[in-house]
Amino acid sequence: VQLQASGGGLVQAGDSLRLSCAASGRTFSRYDMAWFRQAPGKEREFVARIRWSGGNAYYADSVKGRFTLSRDNAKNTVYLQMNSLKPEDTAVYYCAADTPPFLIYSEMHNARGYDYWGQGTQVTVSS
């Protein structure tokens, strides 16, 4: 599986961006998908995750209410809509895939549990 993240850029605080992660292969619809981010000098942190069916999404407290994760299995793509961006959202954003057997809820924030990673896309929010 190859993941290609895109959509990052330089925006001002309060603006919006939509990140996309396109996956190769025919089994995308069987994977849970997630976004992580990593700011300079910090560890990679969990942002959001969506079930393979698109029915459930989970968010870090820091983005809840501002970010929305969705997926289109027909297009092999997952989207992260980011609204009301803040300077502290500045990071490289990575998409990741979790294949069966899936991580349990308590494990889904751990980057080490994911099987495939995209190359990252830079998001910079100026104040």
Side-chain angles (χ1 to χ4, degrees), residues 33-101:
M33 297 295 296
W35 286 91
F36 284 74
R37 65 187 182 186
Q38 188 166 19
K42 295 188 177 181
E43 292 189 355
R44 194 167 296 191
E45 68 169 353
F46 172 83
V47 175
R49 175 186 172 104
I50 191 166
R51 297 303 316 276
W52 59 271
S53 63
N56 295 89
Y58 309 90
Y59 299 92
D61 288 343
S62 58
V63 307
K64 202 172 294 183
R66 299 188 298 121
F67 290 12
T68 303
L69 185 56
S70 62
R71 66 189 296 161
D72 185 339
N73 286 341
K75 296 182 178 180
N76 279 14
T77 303
V78 62
Y79 304 99
L80 183 66
Q81 178 66 42
M82 306 187 296
N83 298 331
S84 302
L85 282 161
K86 305 175 180 180
E88 50 264 44
D89 294 319
T90 295
V92 177
Y93 283 70
Y94 298 90
C95 58
D98 179 25
T99 62

